[in-house]
């Protein structure tokens, strides 16, 4: 939603209780509130931040402007989880209340160090002429959720970058702390800077080099770079704004992408033998995915189900955005797989055979198979006239097509109503999670993923098999 700058950057303390209550109350009127996905308590949710493990629990923050469905003065909102399925807000926030983050506590990451959680983030600072000074800053959160900000700026804006310099990710590689930061150069090309903590002290960062990862610089900015180590391979996840479509086919306003590499040369700031660039998600919205190497040896990822610069039907209720399910990353046959954490299975109620249903609660999982040499068509969020989200799985042609042109309230139509991906011309398995106004489709155990939203009317909760041999199970989910 487009709101004037004065409203979006109004100080938090200037909002009255009455105004805040109205915003909170308006959200409760939405017919699209989700059941098992994390949504903002109020206002807009965007990037996942500080996804980590600390104090015996998984930690996740989200970027938030609490006063409506717009990108304003951002804070981090803290949640915790034991199972990576249920996330609970703790009431802790990282607010833009310091000279070094006066115009927003922008995205960043977290890592446990000596019994405290270190938060590494971007302080968005603007002067009276609205000139931005992007600062990489830090804070410590203790076990009681008390947050103390570091007064020192940890990384200043280097000479070779514009005001677009943000989203530090701290990671530990072979016992040494490193950080990568998204940047734009003066030729308006996106790139990534690599830093190293001197003597492993996260208050002192030394520039190592501009990370070589086989990028061409066709994007104008790289947001939220994220390096994880999956089954022995460095995997770079990133959000390249303005990426040339000759480099990668995508339809969303900005893509969320990845490369699988073979090794990380820390001295040369180089990811070796980087694969081509791939879409992380083939759906309508998934952005700023953040992943981390957890102490249990697994790699967990979570995405913002939303995109920058898009209006959503929920805006009328003063909120926007949701988090995806947590996906475990793995590499099989050289390909990246993303699959919901196993605890998601605990939400399943009794299995029923997939069959037409004129109504559901729009809170279910389908686990279905389409045989080879078949073309199946499934309609979800469907009304009696079969208007809904149409998923066509064509194992003869080797393609999946998701069409939301007749599904619920239309939005973002300038970016097209269909999304597709290629699959092997073979039997294909799908796990489809539906949650009121969200769908997440995992193809062949997470080889390809489609994430997106649908804003159905009340009579749009049916499931129909329009054609084909598709079969499998329907699980209502416990919420
Ligand atoms: C990505 C992003 C980040 C930034 C944050 C601000 O969606 O633009 O680059 O830190 O959102 O909310």
């Amino acid at each position: 939603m487009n709101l004037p700058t004065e409203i979006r950057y109004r100080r938090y303390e200037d909002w009255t209780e009455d105004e805040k209550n109205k915003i909170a109350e308006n959200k409760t009127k939405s017919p699209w509130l989700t059941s098992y996905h994390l949504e903002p308590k109020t206002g807009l949710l965007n990037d996942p931040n500080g996804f980590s493990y600390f104090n015996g629990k998984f930690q996740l923050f989200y970027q938030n402007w609490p006063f409506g469905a717009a990108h304003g003065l951002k804070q981090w909102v803290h949640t915790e989880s034991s199972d990576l399925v249920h996330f609970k807000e703790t009431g802790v926030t990282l607010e833009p209340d310091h000279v070094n983050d006066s115009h927003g506590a922008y995205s960043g990451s977290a890592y446990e160090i000596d019994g405290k959680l270190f938060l590494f983030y971007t302080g968005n600072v603007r002067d009276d002429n609205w000139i931005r000074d992007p600062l990489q800053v830090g804070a410590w959160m203790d076990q009681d959720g008390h947050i103390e900000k570091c007064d020192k700026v940890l990384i200043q804006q280097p000479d070779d970058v514009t005001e677009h310099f943000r989203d530090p990710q701290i990671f530990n590689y072979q016992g040494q702390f490193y950080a990568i930061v998204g940047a734009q150069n003066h030729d308006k090309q996106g790139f990534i800077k690599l830093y190293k903590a001197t003597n492993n002290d996260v208050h002192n960062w030394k520039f190592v080099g501009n990370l070589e990862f086989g990028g061409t610089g066709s994007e104008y900015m790289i947001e939220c770079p994220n390096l994880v180590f999956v089954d022995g391979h460095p995997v770079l996840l990133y959000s390249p704004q303005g990426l040339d479509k000759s480099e990668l086919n995508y339809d969303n306003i900005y893509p969320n992408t990845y490369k699988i590499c073979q090794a990380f040369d820390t001295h040369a700031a180089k990811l070796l033998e980087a694969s081509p660039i791939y879409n992380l998600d083939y759906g309508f919205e998934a952005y700023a995915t953040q992943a981390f190497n957890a102490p249990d040896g697994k790699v967990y990822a979570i995405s913002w189900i939303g995109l920058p610069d898009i209006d959503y039907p929920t805006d009328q209720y003063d909120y926007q955005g949701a988090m995806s399910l947590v996906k475990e990353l793995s590499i099989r046959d050289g390909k990246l797989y993303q699959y919901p954490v196993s605890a998601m299975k605990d939400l399943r109620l009794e299995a029923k055979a997939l069959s037409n249903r004129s109504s559901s609660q729009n809170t279910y999982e389908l686990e279905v198979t389409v045989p080879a040499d078949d073309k199946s068509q499934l309609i979800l969020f469907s009304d009696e006239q079969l208007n809904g989200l149409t998923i066509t799985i064509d194992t003869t042609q080797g393609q999946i097509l998701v069409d939301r042109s007749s599904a619920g309230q239309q939005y973002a139509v300038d970016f097209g109503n269909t999304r597709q991906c290629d699959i092997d011309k073979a039997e294909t398995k799908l796990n489809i999670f539906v949650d009121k106004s969200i769908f997440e489709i995992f193809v062949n155990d997470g080889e390809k993923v489609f994430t997106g939203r649908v804003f159905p009317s009340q009579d749009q909760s049916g499931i129909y098999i329009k054609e084909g041999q598709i079969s499998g199970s329907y699980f209502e989910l416990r919420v």
Side-chain angles (χ1 to χ4, degrees):
M1 184 183 284
N2 238 338
L3 292 179
T5 308
E6 311 85 81
I7 295 183
R8 288 186 295 117
Y9 283 86
R10 198 172 152 197
R11 304 311 308 177
Y12 281 24
E13 56 274 18
D14 294 343
W15 290 84
T16 65
E17 286 307 310
D18 198 37
E19 286 170 321
K20 288 193 269 192
N21 290 340
K22 276 201 185 114
I23 292 161
E25 198 195 306
N26 197 15
K27 183 189 153 198
T28 65
K29 296 184 186 141
S30 167
W32 297 308
L33 295 173
T34 60
S35 297
Y36 59 95
H37 282 78
L38 179 66
E39 291 184 293
K41 190 164 173 212
T42 62
L44 180 142
L45 171 156
N46 58 306
D47 312 352
N49 289 163
F51 195 20
S52 56
Y53 189 79
F54 167 60
N55 206 14
K57 290 206 170 118
F58 293 98
Q59 312 285 319
L60 175 72
F61 298 77
Y62 61 83
Q63 276 284 283
N64 173 238
W65 184 58
F67 306 112
H71 291 267
L73 184 56
K74 294 284 174 70
Q75 64 172 347
W76 288 31
V77 176
H78 180 232
T79 74
E80 273 183 349
S81 174
S82 305
D83 59 4
L84 291 170
V85 171
H86 301 90
F87 286 88
K88 213 173 158 243
E89 285 204 14
T90 62
V92 172
T93 50
L94 178 73
E95 292 187 18
D97 56 6
H98 191 281
V99 284
N100 293 338
D101 59 20
S102 57
H103 290 70
Y106 276 10
S107 286
S109 52
Y111 202 98
E112 178 180 354
I113 301 171
D114 298 333
K116 286 189 179 171
L117 192 66
F118 175 65
L119 313 180
F120 201 5
Y121 68 105
T122 300
N124 185 45
V125 174
R126 289 187 182 271
D127 68 11
D128 292 345
N129 298 316
W130 211 246
I131 307 280
R132 177 188 266 155
D133 189 9
L135 306 173
Q136 313 313 319
V137 293
W140 294 91
M141 186 175 88
D142 69 17
Q143 297 193 345
D144 301 322
H146 178 75
I147 292 182
E148 204 166 314
K149 293 185 179 174
C150 309
D151 281 325
K152 179 181 165 188
V153 173
L154 304 184
I155 304 175
Q156 298 275 3
Q157 180 182 356
D159 288 344
D160 61 344
V161 308
T162 68
E163 55 159 358
H164 295 292
F165 179 52
R166 56 182 176 265
D167 311 337
Q169 182 218 356
I170 179 172
F171 59 96
N172 185 318
Y173 182 67
Q174 299 177 343
Q176 167 70 48
F177 287 120
Y178 292 91
I180 51 175
V181 187
Q184 178 187 65
N185 69 21
H186 294 291
D187 294 328
K188 303 270 186 293
Q189 292 175 311
F191 70 121
I192 298 170
K193 288 199 164 271
L194 175 70
Y195 296 84
K196 180 177 174 174
T198 307
N199 299 325
N200 251 354
D201 172 7
V202 296
H203 298 106
N204 288 299
W205 293 91
K206 190 175 175 325
F207 176 60
V208 181
N210 294 334
L211 188 70
E212 282 183 48
F213 60 95
T216 63
S218 81
E219 61 279 269
Y220 60 78
M221 171 61 186
I222 291 182
E223 296 190 300
C224 305
N226 192 232
L227 185 62
V228 279
F229 298 86
V230 187
D231 297 330
H233 298 268
V235 176
L236 182 69
L237 313 177
Y238 57 115
S239 297
Q241 294 182 298
L243 185 81
D244 198 299
K245 292 198 177 168
S246 63
E247 229 181 298
L248 181 75
N249 199 2
Y250 66 93
D251 294 310
N252 295 344
I253 184 167
Y254 310 122
N256 196 177
T257 59
Y258 73 93
K259 283 182 176 233
I260 300 180
C261 309
Q262 299 306 323
F264 179 32
D265 180 340
T266 57
H267 297 286
K270 196 168 180 176
L271 291 170
L272 305 175
E273 294 176 54
S275 71
I277 185 169
Y278 297 116
N279 281 305
L280 195 55
D281 197 288
Y282 289 84
F284 295 92
E285 44 247 315
Y287 197 68
T289 300
Q290 188 170 77
F292 77 107
N293 283 89
D296 63 8
K298 296 186 172 170
V299 191
Y300 298 113
I302 190 162
S303 313
W304 167 28
I305 306 184
L307 285 167
D309 308 325
I310 301 283
D311 290 333
Y312 281 82
T314 57
D315 292 4
Q316 61 185 294
Y317 299 105
D318 289 328
Y319 78 103
Q320 192 189 111
M323 282 296 158
S324 72
L325 300 179
V326 175
K327 300 162 273 197
E328 199 181 316
L329 303 185
S330 60
I331 291 181
R332 270 183 258 166
D333 300 329
K335 292 185 204 156
L336 185 70
Y337 280 71
Q338 311 168 62
Y339 198 70
V341 291
S342 56
M344 272 309 292
K345 286 214 168 77
D346 300 341
L347 298 190
R348 289 177 175 180
L349 297 171
E350 176 200 354
K352 296 183 182 155
L354 174 74
S355 60
N356 292 343
R357 285 170 188 271
S358 55
S359 75
S360 75
Q361 298 294 321
N362 274 342
T363 308
Y364 58 85
E365 179 190 348
L366 302 179
E367 184 166 73
V368 291
T369 307
V370 177
D373 298 318
D374 184 54
K375 181 177 169 191
S376 281
Q377 208 165 53
L378 195 59
I379 307 177
L380 309 181
F381 300 98
S382 179
D383 58 24
E384 303 273 298
Q385 291 75 44
L386 302 196
N387 293 307
L389 181 76
T390 306
I391 306 170
T392 308
I393 309 103
D394 187 337
T395 56
T396 310
Q397 299 295 322
Q399 195 196 54
I400 295 182
L401 183 81
V402 180
D403 182 342
R404 70 174 178 190
S405 59
S406 65
Q409 203 161 309
Q410 298 294 295
Y411 68 101
V413 288
D414 293 353
F415 300 94
N417 280 322
T418 59
R419 296 291 185 267
Q420 61 195 60
C421 79
D422 293 337
I423 50 168
D424 286 346
K425 295 175 184 163
E427 182 182 279
T428 300
K429 182 185 165 209
L430 305 177
N431 289 79
I432 305 176
F433 292 84
V434 165
D435 184 5
K436 303 294 185 193
S437 54
I438 290 177
F439 66 89
E440 291 181 74
I441 305 173
F442 297 88
V443 182
N444 290 330
D445 298 315
E447 183 188 342
K448 301 266 169 76
V449 185
F450 289 84
T451 302
R453 299 207 70 162
V454 168
F455 297 96
S457 55
Q458 230 184 354
D459 61 338
Q460 293 178 318
S461 69
I463 302 173
Y464 286 100
I465 302 163
K466 202 168 170 205
E467 62 170 299
Q469 301 302 311
I470 190 167
S471 67
S473 304
Y474 162 91
F475 300 93
E476 215 178 289
L477 297 182
R478 182 182 295 121
V479 292

